[in-house]
């Protein structure tokens, strides 16, 4: 006898009502009398049982809807959030009541993907067609807080309460955490007060967040008051709380107090975690307290707190900083004996310190050891070695390291490329530097403005101002805007090459794009104007610099004006500038006095100039060597003058 399973029937029987279509089984006359058998009865029984046992979820849906639900769940799990939203909208239009858990996952996915408007859209669907819970609102609240949309977060909080949903401790921890991150401790404490008014019990997470923020903004003493309040409520601190308190004490230089605190929590049966010990160890070693550091390590082990990789990295880093490379390598060996595998940070510390001390050969040996230990080098490892290799003059060897890095599947970051480009500029390999600059851009590794400036400076120094201008314009196009140094370099090069109009346009462009001039900008302008005899314009610029109040003129700015005035034999004006300089609290230097003496001497008053020079030597304002050079200069001029008269 053949029987039909429920599963088979669920895929073949049609649950939809079609008024214009009737099944032949629905008409009792369609079954021949006398032919009713066990098979027919079984079919009817099975059909009845399937109808009775259908899941409630699909009572109002057809099989297309069932497939949509499955597809929605699958797309959400796979992170295909746009597809999930499309399916959700489609199903809601067909009468589907959205599942709060699934919608919450979708909201979180959109927030993590920075698609905030779509996250809002999902929440609106849930609010209109479903039943959002506190968890869903907390997810939206957290998303808005992370996106720094505080007003939107506050509206969500209000809406949640209006719907009769009481905020829980997670809700308040999200709000308090967001405010603390933004430095608004006072507002965070007000939220804490509201939490207590709402009869919501704070937890260790909320107090730890507030303690950390209070240490940063109010100091350790205020934070300890919060800790006492926390304890009075019967809330036990966790490892993070202890770590934050100890870290705060160490940052404020309260090492003794930190150890007292550690001792007090130990006496209460609370064990500090390895991270707390690491903070104390680092603070001790930063102060050079090696014996205390060793004692702390022993205390750790006695209390059953095993040192971790970070502990050993702290030791190795401190030893390297003090130049104790051999001892650092011994710590590495001890670390391995204790069964702890060094990580790439461990090796980077050693390699970096060796490179800083010019021991590239030893650094490369450590690199070999890294590979033998099956530890994968990272971009930082190679960048350190590339920079050190370039410094020692081996640009070709550095390029081999770069190729090796690429062969390991490691993509250079902007800093790596910048190191290479800067090295090429120093070696005068401008063509290769520009080629690599283009490669950086094509790889979407935007160079730092500093390294763009290196190329600009090198090109201008070699007289290739046209190419420098091309690079300058390209920098803006690829989203690496020039800074004041970029404009200063091109201004000086253009002015020196005789293109003064273009140079001045460069300054106007700089101002129009909101790039503030710096002291070098003013100094370049003043120097260039004075060099070309435009001293009055230079003085106006000096006055403008003073009146701007952003920064006061330096001794170099004043010296440039004094040089320009002396050059056009306006010595009295130069002396007045010296007087103004003194009144504004800018002390003259040896160059200032030398310029004035030369100006007086070249103006025909050589004896007066040398008398002034002699007085300044006695006052230690100028050196004996400067005095001798001035004397020789004027003697040569007098000799030439006498020779000219005799002829």
């Amino acid at each position: 006898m053949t029987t039909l399973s429920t599963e088979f029937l669920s895929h073949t029987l049609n649950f939809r009502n079609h008024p214009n279509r009737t099944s032949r089984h629905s008409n009792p006359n369609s079954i021949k009398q006398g032919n009713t058998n066990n098979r027919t009865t079984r079919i009817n029984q099975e059909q009845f049982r399937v109808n009775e046992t259908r899941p409630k979820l699909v009572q109002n849906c057809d099989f297309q809807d069932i497939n949509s639900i499955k597809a929605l769940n699958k797309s959400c799990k796979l992170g295909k959030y746009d597809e999930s939203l499309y399916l959700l909208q489609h199903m809601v239009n067909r009468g589907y009541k959205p599942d709060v858990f699934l919608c919450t996952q979708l909201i979180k996915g959109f927030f993590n993907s920075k698609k905030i408007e779509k996250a809002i859209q999902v929440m609106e669907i849930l609010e209109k067609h479903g039943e959002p819970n506190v968890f869903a609102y907390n997810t939206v609240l957290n998303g808005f807080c992370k996106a720094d949309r505080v007003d939107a977060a506050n509206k969500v909080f209000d809406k949640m309460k209006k719907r009769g949903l009481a905020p829980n401790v997670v809700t308040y921890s999200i709000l308090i955490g967001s405010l603390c991150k933004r430095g608004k401790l006072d507002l965070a404490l007000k939220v804490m007060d509201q939490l207590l008014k709402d009869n919501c019990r704070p937890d260790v997470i909320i107090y730890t967040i507030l303690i950390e923020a209070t240490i940063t903004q109010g100091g350790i003493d205020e934070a300890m008051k919060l800790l006492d309040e926390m304890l009075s409520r019967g809330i036990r601190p966790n490892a993070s709380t202890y770590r934050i308190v100890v870290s705060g004490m160490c940052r404020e230089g309260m090492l003794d107090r930190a150890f007292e605190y550690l001792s007090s929590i130990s006496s209460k049966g609370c064990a500090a975690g390895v991270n707390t010990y690491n903070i104390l160890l680092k603070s001790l070693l930063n102060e050079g307290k090696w014996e205390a550091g060793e004692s702390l390590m022993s205390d750790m082990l006695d209390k059953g707190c095993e040192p971790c990789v970070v502990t050993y990295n702290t030791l190795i880093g401190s030893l390297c900083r003090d130049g104790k490379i051999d001892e650092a390598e011994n710590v590495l060996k001890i670390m391995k004996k204790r069964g702890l595998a060094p990580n790439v940070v461990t090796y980077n510390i050693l390699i970096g310190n060796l490179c800083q001390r010019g021991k590239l050969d030893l650094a490369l040996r450590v690199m070999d050891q890294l590979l033998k230990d099956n530890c994968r080098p990272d971009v930082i490892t190679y960048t350190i070695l590339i920079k050190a290799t370039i410094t020692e003059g081996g640009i070709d060897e550095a390029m081999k390291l770069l190729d090796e890095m690429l062969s390991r599947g490691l993509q250079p970051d902007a800093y790596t490329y910048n190191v290479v480009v800067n090295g090429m500029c120093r070696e005068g390999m401008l063509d290769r530097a520009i080629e690599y600059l283009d490669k950086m851009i094509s790889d979407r590794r935007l160079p730092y403005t500093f390294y763009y400036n290196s190329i600009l400076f090198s090109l201008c120094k070699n007289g290739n101002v046209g190419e420098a201008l091309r690079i300058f314009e390209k920098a803006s196009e690829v989203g690496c805007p020039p800074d004041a140094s970029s404009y200063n370099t091109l201004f000086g090069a253009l002015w020196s090459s005789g293109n003064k109009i273009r140079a001045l346009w460069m300054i106007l462009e700089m101002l129009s794009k909101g790039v503030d001039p710096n002291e070098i900008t003013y100094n370049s302008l003043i120097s260039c104007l004075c060099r070309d005899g435009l001293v009055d314009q230079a003085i106006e610029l000096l006055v403008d610099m003073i009146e701007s109040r952003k920064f006061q003129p330096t001794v170099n700015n004043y010296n440039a004006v004094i040089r320009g005035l002396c050059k056009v034999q306006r010595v009295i004006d130069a002396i007045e500038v010296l007087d103004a300089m003194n009144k504004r609290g800018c002390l003259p230097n040896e160059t200032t006095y030398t310029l004035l003496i030369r100006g007086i001497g070249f103006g025909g008053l050589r004896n007066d100039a040398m008398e002034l020079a002699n007085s300044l030597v006695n006052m230690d304002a100028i050196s004996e060597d400067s005095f001798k050079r001035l004397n020789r200069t004027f003697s040569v001029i007098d000799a030439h003058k006498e020779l000219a008269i005799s002829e």
Side-chain angles (χ1 to χ4, degrees), residues 96-337:
Y96 167 71
K97 182 179 178 179
D99 177 67
V100 64
F101 178 74
L102 191 143
C103 286
T104 303
Q105 282 185 303
L106 193 50
I107 290 165
K108 187 177 180 180
F110 276 129
F111 270 119
N112 289 340
S113 305
K114 311 296 182 188
K115 295 179 179 179
I116 297 173
E117 297 309 313
K118 289 189 175 181
I120 295 169
Q121 203 174 340
V122 176
M123 190 60 184
E124 287 173 350
I125 290 170
L126 184 59
E127 287 177 327
K128 187 176 180 181
H129 302 283
E131 294 179 6
N133 57 15
V134 174
F135 184 66
Y137 276 109
N138 285 348
T139 303
V140 176
L141 199 67
N142 191 46
F144 278 133
C145 285
K146 284 184 176 178
D148 204 24
R149 290 178 60 170
V150 184
D151 291 338
N154 288 332
K155 287 177 182 177
V156 170
F157 183 75
D158 292 338
K159 188 187 289 186
M160 177 182 176
K161 295 182 86 172
K162 283 177 183 177
R163 290 181 73 101
L165 292 169
N168 60 14
V169 69
V170 176
T171 316
Y172 285 110
S173 67
I174 291 166
L175 288 171
I176 289 169
S178 173
L179 289 166
C180 288
K181 281 180 183 176
R182 289 162 51 234
K184 298 189 176 182
L185 177 60
D186 52 343
L187 292 178
L189 291 169
K190 285 181 181 178
V191 174
M192 179 66 160
D193 292 338
Q194 185 61 49
L195 176 153
L196 297 171
K197 284 178 186 177
D198 290 344
N199 294 318
C200 182
R201 179 177 165 79
D203 62 4
V204 65
I205 295 170
I206 286 180
Y207 270 109
T208 303
I209 291 168
L210 286 169
I211 287 167
E212 186 172 24
T214 304
I215 288 170
T216 304
Q217 298 178 50
I220 194 69
D221 291 329
E222 288 300 313
M224 294 306 284
K225 290 177 185 177
L226 269 174
L227 183 64
D228 290 340
E229 180 188 315
M230 174 182 171
L231 293 167
S232 70
R233 292 184 184 278
I235 301 167
R236 188 183 178 121
N238 60 18
S240 294
T241 319
Y242 294 134
R243 175 182 55 79
I244 286 163
V245 170
V246 168
S247 178
M249 289 174 177
C250 290
R251 277 205 308 271
E252 292 189 23
M254 300 177 179
L255 254 178
D256 291 339
R257 188 173 175 182
F259 275 101
E260 286 173 11
Y261 177 68
L262 184 66
S263 177
S264 70
I265 63 174
S266 298
S267 65
K268 293 174 185 176
C270 302
V274 66
N275 292 331
T276 304
Y277 278 107
N278 288 343
I279 291 164
L280 285 166
L281 181 65
K282 187 174 182 180
S283 298
L284 286 169
L285 298 183
N286 283 343
E287 293 186 9
K289 297 179 178 179
W290 284 96
E291 288 183 10
E294 288 175 12
S295 176
L296 182 67
M297 288 281 287
S298 299
D299 187 49
M300 277 179 74
L301 294 167
D302 290 343
K303 288 188 168 69
C305 184
E306 281 291 323
C308 65
V309 176
V310 175
T311 316
Y312 285 104
N313 286 351
T314 301
L315 279 168
I316 291 167
S318 297
L319 287 165
C320 287
R321 189 186 62 236
D322 290 355
K324 300 174 181 177
I325 306 294
D326 292 338
E327 290 183 38
E329 290 180 337
N330 286 335
V331 171
L332 182 66
K333 291 173 184 175
I334 293 167
M335 181 181 178
K336 288 179 182 179
K337 283 180 182 177

Side-chain angles (χ1 to χ4, degrees), residues 10 33 90 124 137 139 208 212 274 310 401 461 485 519 572 577 622 634:
S10 68
Q33 298 296 325
H90 168 75
E124 287 173 350
Y137 276 109
T139 303
T208 303
E212 186 172 24
V274 66
V310 175
L401 278 169
K461 187 179 178 181
S485 296
E519 291 180 20
I572 302 300
V577 170
I622 63 171
F634 292 141

Side-chain angles (χ1 to χ4, degrees), residues 464-519:
N464 199 343
V465 184
E467 183 64 16
L469 282 168
R470 187 188 73 80
I471 296 291
F472 175 84
E473 289 165 4
K474 192 170 187 179
S476 296
E477 290 172 8
V478 299
C480 189
D483 60 8
S485 296
S486 315
Y487 283 104
N488 293 343
T489 299
L490 282 169
F491 167 79
L494 287 165
W495 190 282
S496 298
S497 66
N499 196 348
K500 296 180 177 63
I501 301 298
R502 182 71 179 86
L504 292 171
W505 269 108
M506 191 65 65
I507 299 298
L508 291 173
E509 180 186 319
M510 174 183 176
L511 296 171
S512 69
K513 291 190 174 179
V515 179
D516 290 331
N518 57 20
E519 291 180 20

Side-chain angles (χ1 to χ4, degrees), residues 336-405:
K336 288 179 182 179
K337 283 180 182 177
R338 294 187 67 88
L340 272 175
N343 60 15
V344 68
V345 176
T346 318
Y347 287 107
N348 286 348
I349 292 168
L350 281 167
I351 290 168
N353 278 277
L354 287 166
C355 287
Q356 282 178 2
R357 287 168 170 74
K359 298 179 179 180
L360 181 59
D361 291 342
L362 290 176
L364 290 169
R365 283 185 203 171
V366 174
M367 177 66 161
D368 291 338
Q369 186 61 51
L370 178 154
L371 297 171
K372 285 177 184 175
D373 289 343
N374 295 318
C375 183
R376 180 177 164 81
D378 60 10
V379 174
I380 295 171
T381 319
Y382 277 103
T383 304
I384 292 168
L385 289 169
I386 288 167
K387 187 175 182 179
T389 306
I390 290 171
T391 301
E392 294 194 10
I395 192 73
D396 291 328
E397 289 301 313
M399 297 309 292
K400 287 178 185 176
L401 278 169
L402 186 64
D403 290 339
E404 182 185 316
M405 176 181 173

Side-chain angles (χ1 to χ4, degrees), residues 546-565:
I546 294 167
E547 290 177 350
S548 71
R549 296 185 180 180
K550 286 186 177 179
F551 34 71
Q552 291 301 307
T554 64
V555 64
N556 292 328
N557 300 137
Y558 283 110
N559 286 350
V561 172
I562 289 169
R563 181 186 283 109
L565 288 167

Side-chain angles (χ1 to χ4, degrees), residues 23-163:
S23 170
R24 65 185 182 87
H25 293 293
S26 65
N27 184 355
N29 295 324
S30 65
I31 302 174
K32 291 182 181 180
Q33 298 296 325
N35 291 333
T36 304
N37 53 30
N38 291 333
R39 181 171 181 271
T40 306
T41 303
R42 181 176 289 277
I43 291 172
N44 289 335
Q45 288 173 347
E46 291 291 345
Q47 181 177 356
F48 176 77
R49 191 158 68 83
V50 171
N51 285 327
E52 286 296 315
T53 59
R54 281 182 302 166
K56 291 182 180 179
L57 179 67
V58 295
Q59 280 181 350
N60 298 318
C61 304
D62 60 17
F63 290 108
Q64 185 179 352
D65 295 325
I66 296 170
N67 291 332
S68 296
I69 292 168
K70 289 179 179 178
L72 176 58
N73 278 285
K74 186 177 179 181
S75 63
C76 197
K77 283 179 182 177
L78 294 173
K80 298 178 179 179
Y81 302 121
D82 290 321
E83 181 183 299
S84 300
L85 178 56
Y86 172 79
L87 287 167
L88 180 65
Q89 288 170 325
H90 168 75
M91 291 166 64
V92 165
N93 290 336
R94 296 176 64 85
Y96 167 71
K97 182 179 178 179
D99 177 67
V100 64
F101 178 74
L102 191 143
C103 286
T104 303
Q105 282 185 303
L106 193 50
I107 290 165
K108 187 177 180 180
F110 276 129
F111 270 119
N112 289 340
S113 305
K114 311 296 182 188
K115 295 179 179 179
I116 297 173
E117 297 309 313
K118 289 189 175 181
I120 295 169
Q121 203 174 340
V122 176
M123 190 60 184
E124 287 173 350
I125 290 170
L126 184 59
E127 287 177 327
K128 187 176 180 181
H129 302 283
E131 294 179 6
N133 57 15
V134 174
F135 184 66
Y137 276 109
N138 285 348
T139 303
V140 176
L141 199 67
N142 191 46
F144 278 133
C145 285
K146 284 184 176 178
D148 204 24
R149 290 178 60 170
V150 184
D151 291 338
N154 288 332
K155 287 177 182 177
V156 170
F157 183 75
D158 292 338
K159 188 187 289 186
M160 177 182 176
K161 295 182 86 172
K162 283 177 183 177
R163 290 181 73 101

